[in-house]
Amino acid sequence: MRFADILGHDKPVSIINSYIEANSFSGGFIFSGPEGIGKRLVAQMVSQKLNCSAVDKPCGLCESCLKIEKLVHPDLHIIQNGQGQIKIDDIRGILREANFRPYEGAMKIFIIDDAHKLNPDAANALLKTLEEPPKDALIILITHKPQNIIKTVLSRCKRIKFYPLARAGLETVLLKDYSLDKLTAHFLGFYAEGRLGLALKLKDSLGLTQKNKIFDSFVLSTKPLERNLMEQNKDQLHDCLNILASWFRDIYLLKAGLADNEIIHLDRKHDLLKLLSKFSFKQLDDIMAAISESLLYLERNINNKLLLHNLGAICRVI
Ligand SMILES: [Zn+2]
């Protein structure tokens, strides 16, 4: 894959390239933009480019590039902290390591994922390193909530904004760079709404077979939907409801006469077309509203009885 056209993020990549050419891609940077669009992947690619030993960087093949890809390069440090805050203990390593010379590469790179989770103590401790960054250290803060990062940290970093790819653009990237077949690339590109990171995450867990299984067992099955849904655990139910919403969205849009290639489930267009006469627009509106409401209940851990009642209402329409 060439760095110039990675992941379709042409604009941020060209800004990064101009910093690298000017030899000023060091110190603090913030990669901001919606969740799951590939900011972290770009940060890793940049790390490869800065440390690659080939002429055409990043080659993706040299020892340095491979170590970075496997996240085992001694000069690449990634800080992330799941659900909780990023505390001072989590970044102490950066504060110490940043002062040493790189072990193997040309640059030491610190990637702080979900940087909006830095608690005030950690953010303040980071400030000093951001104020006087060593020349061979790069700190990349990745965030989809830059407004939650303290102003003093924001003001010491150069900001690079990322945007979701157009859905069709993501489909092309998945086809070309990830060698997916056309129907899978279309589904993931459209279902993930242009968010590359999400599409790549779903690539392994939600292929055509899995998402079609949800359609077949919930929409086309004679078994009551309600029972089908209540057999799932919370995460499965969450995925099922989202997939179901996308099926009904497609039925709605096809019924409204939208171009076929705008639907998510292009691979099952024929089955969807057969369902158009089964639902009125009002019924489709009600089903989609009930699904969103159920998702909300699920997120708020509202008791199953209410959720069940709501799903039952959807089932009666289906
Ligand atoms: Zn390389």
Side-chain angles (χ1 to χ4, degrees):
M1 202 189 306
R2 289 166 303 160
F3 186 67
D5 60 5
I6 46 166
L7 323 171
H9 290 301
D10 302 0
K11 199 174 169 202
V13 167
S14 82
I15 296 170
I16 292 168
N17 272 331
S18 55
Y19 277 114
I20 293 176
E21 277 155 27
N23 220 3
S24 60
F25 202 59
S26 62
F29 277 81
I30 289 184
F31 288 7
S32 67
E35 210 173 356
I37 57 170
K39 300 183 292 296
R40 160 102 176 247
L41 282 169
V42 173
Q44 280 171 223
M45 279 284 211
V46 172
S47 313
Q48 286 183 317
K49 179 158 178 150
L50 291 168
N51 283 313
C52 178
S53 55
V55 179
D56 192 9
K57 302 171 198 289
C59 68
L61 298 167
C62 69
E63 197 186 343
S64 170
C65 283
L66 292 174
K67 279 186 177 175
I68 289 172
E69 193 186 325
K70 292 179 194 148
L71 308 180
V72 294
H73 197 292
D75 294 317
L76 174 68
H77 302 264
I78 295 180
I79 292 94
Q80 54 187 1
N81 199 7
Q83 299 297 316
Q85 290 186 322
I86 301 175
K87 300 189 181 120
I88 194 157
D89 280 344
D90 301 316
I91 63 154
R92 235 183 262 284
I94 301 188
L95 309 176
R96 193 178 52 238
E97 284 285 332
N99 293 314
F100 296 119
R101 293 187 53 78
Y103 294 106
E104 289 181 11
M107 294 281 282
K108 268 188 180 300
I109 294 147
F110 303 90
I111 297 174
I112 305 182
D113 217 349
D114 284 342
H116 49 272
K117 291 182 182 166
L118 281 164
N119 76 8
D121 284 349
N124 279 317
L126 192 63
L127 265 183
K128 175 129 180 46
T129 309
L130 289 170
E131 274 165 0
E132 296 162 20
K135 266 219 146 337
D136 47 14
L138 168 67
I139 300 170
I140 301 176
L141 306 182
I142 293 178
T143 182
H144 55 274
K145 291 180 181 167
Q147 70 278 12
N148 291 5
I149 297 179
I150 60 170
K151 283 200 173 63
T152 40
V153 166
L154 280 179
S155 67
R156 280 164 182 80
C157 294
K158 297 178 193 92
R159 178 130 159 221
I160 296 183
K161 286 187 185 173
F162 288 73
Y163 301 92
L165 310 182
R167 291 181 295 181
L170 177 55
E171 179 181 340
T172 310
V173 168
L174 292 170
L175 263 175
K176 204 175 74 175
D177 293 341
Y178 294 89
S179 313
L180 298 185
D181 64 86
K182 193 155 176 37
L183 287 173
T184 307
H186 177 90
F187 164 66
L188 289 174
F190 277 62
Y191 184 68
E193 296 183 326
R195 287 170 292 174
L196 177 75
L198 178 63
L200 293 180
K201 203 167 126 192
L202 293 173
K203 179 167 74 73
D204 303 319
S205 60
L206 192 69
L208 294 184
T209 318
Q210 288 91 328
K211 66 98 181 165
N212 283 337
K213 206 171 134 198
I214 294 173
F215 179 63
D216 294 334
S217 51
F218 295 130
V219 184
L220 297 183
S221 159
T222 48
K223 191 175 168 188
L225 173 74
E226 190 174 341
R227 204 179 322 143
N228 253 333
L229 286 172
M230 291 319 291
E231 281 166 8
Q232 316 288 313
N233 68 31
K234 188 179 169 185
D235 285 345
Q236 289 169 328
L237 189 54
H238 186 267
D239 291 347
C240 275
L241 288 170
N242 273 316
I243 283 282
L244 276 178
S246 69
W247 284 105
F248 287 106
R249 165 205 177 269
D250 273 3
I251 297 172
Y252 193 102
L253 294 179
L254 281 172
K255 205 174 160 68
L258 195 87
D260 297 356
N261 56 5
E262 286 297 318
I263 62 171
I264 296 172
H265 303 281
L266 192 58
D267 60 314
R268 294 293 294 270
K269 192 181 83 185
H270 293 297
D271 290 307
L272 289 169
L273 288 172
K274 283 185 219 153
L275 291 170
L276 298 194
S277 56
K278 189 178 169 191
F279 303 102
S280 67
F281 282 117
K282 165 87 173 66
Q283 283 172 319
L284 290 167
D285 270 337
D286 290 346
I287 292 171
M288 288 190 286
I291 293 175
S292 334
E293 204 170 52
S294 300
L295 278 164
L296 208 65
Y297 289 163
L298 199 62
E299 269 161 37
R300 291 182 184 167
N301 284 320
I302 288 182
N303 77 41
N304 276 1
K305 235 181 188 176
L306 197 50
L307 189 62
L308 191 68
H309 174 77
N310 200 45
L311 293 176
I314 304 175
C315 303
R316 281 189 285 284
V317 187
I318 296 173

